[in-house]
Amino acid sequence: MTTLYRSYSYLLLAIFLTLTSCSTTQGPDQPAEPQAQTADAWLQLAETAKPPQQAQYRLNAAALLYQQGDSTAAENALSGIAPKYLQGKDVADYIALRARLQSLRQGPDAALAWIQSERPRTALNALQPQERIAAYEALADLHHAAGNDLQAA
């Protein structure tokens, strides 16, 4: 059951990241967003990008690495992100991924304590409700992993 639940979480994260990368419309003066297929390709793009794009590219790489089960590399990619450059749904994706990685490293209780602390909570409260979905899904997963099934619902 836990494996199925975790697989479902990975699938949802992949869908949300895919939708995020496809949801922007390009204006006539706006260059097309690069579409990398691997985490290494996203990290290479991040090396030469300006800070706002660099944060997005590193987040994409971290999510792919997490999906592939490489939590150490995902943490390294995530640690290179300056969260102040993330906007909208990317903020929730960052918080969700950071909480999931912390859960792997320190357990769900530590991740729950972090995601409910002031800084992530304030960042999430500043978002539109539809932009918070990834973080709320991570919060539910963490409650489930900690055995708090009523709070996970």
Side-chain angles (χ1 to χ4, degrees):
M1 182 73 169
T2 304
T3 304
L4 178 62
Y5 200 73
R6 182 171 281 160
S7 297
Y8 177 70
S9 298
Y10 294 145
L11 178 62
L12 285 174
L13 183 61
I15 290 169
F16 284 120
L17 288 174
T18 301
L19 291 175
T20 299
S21 66
C22 297
S23 66
T24 59
T25 55
Q26 303 299 325
D29 297 332
Q30 218 174 8
E33 178 81 13
Q35 295 297 313
Q37 299 298 318
T38 65
D40 286 338
W42 281 117
L43 291 171
Q44 283 182 330
L45 285 170
E47 286 180 20
T48 58
K50 294 190 185 307
Q53 290 77 31
Q54 183 182 54
Q56 175 64 55
Y57 298 162
R58 291 187 73 81
L59 181 61
N60 292 348
L64 284 173
L65 291 163
Y66 177 77
Q67 289 171 348
Q68 295 166 359
D70 193 346
S71 60
T72 302
E75 282 193 67
N76 289 338
L78 207 61
S79 70
I81 295 174
K84 68 181 180 180
Y85 291 114
L86 296 173
Q87 296 180 0
K89 185 188 155 323
D90 293 337
V91 172
D93 289 342
Y94 172 84
I95 289 170
L97 186 54
R98 183 168 170 194
R100 291 179 190 282
L101 289 167
Q102 185 166 1
S103 178
L104 291 174
R105 192 175 63 251
Q106 297 175 327
D109 290 329
L112 279 169
W114 176 79
I115 201 171
Q116 294 172 338
S117 66
E118 184 178 350
R119 181 175 260 168
R121 192 177 64 238
T122 301
L124 287 173
N125 287 340
L127 299 176
Q128 296 296 319
Q130 68 273 15
E131 295 171 329
R132 302 176 191 165
I133 294 171
Y136 288 153
E137 287 176 343
L139 186 61
D141 290 347
L142 294 170
H143 276 296
H144 178 74
N148 306 328
D149 289 329
L150 288 177
Q151 290 179 321

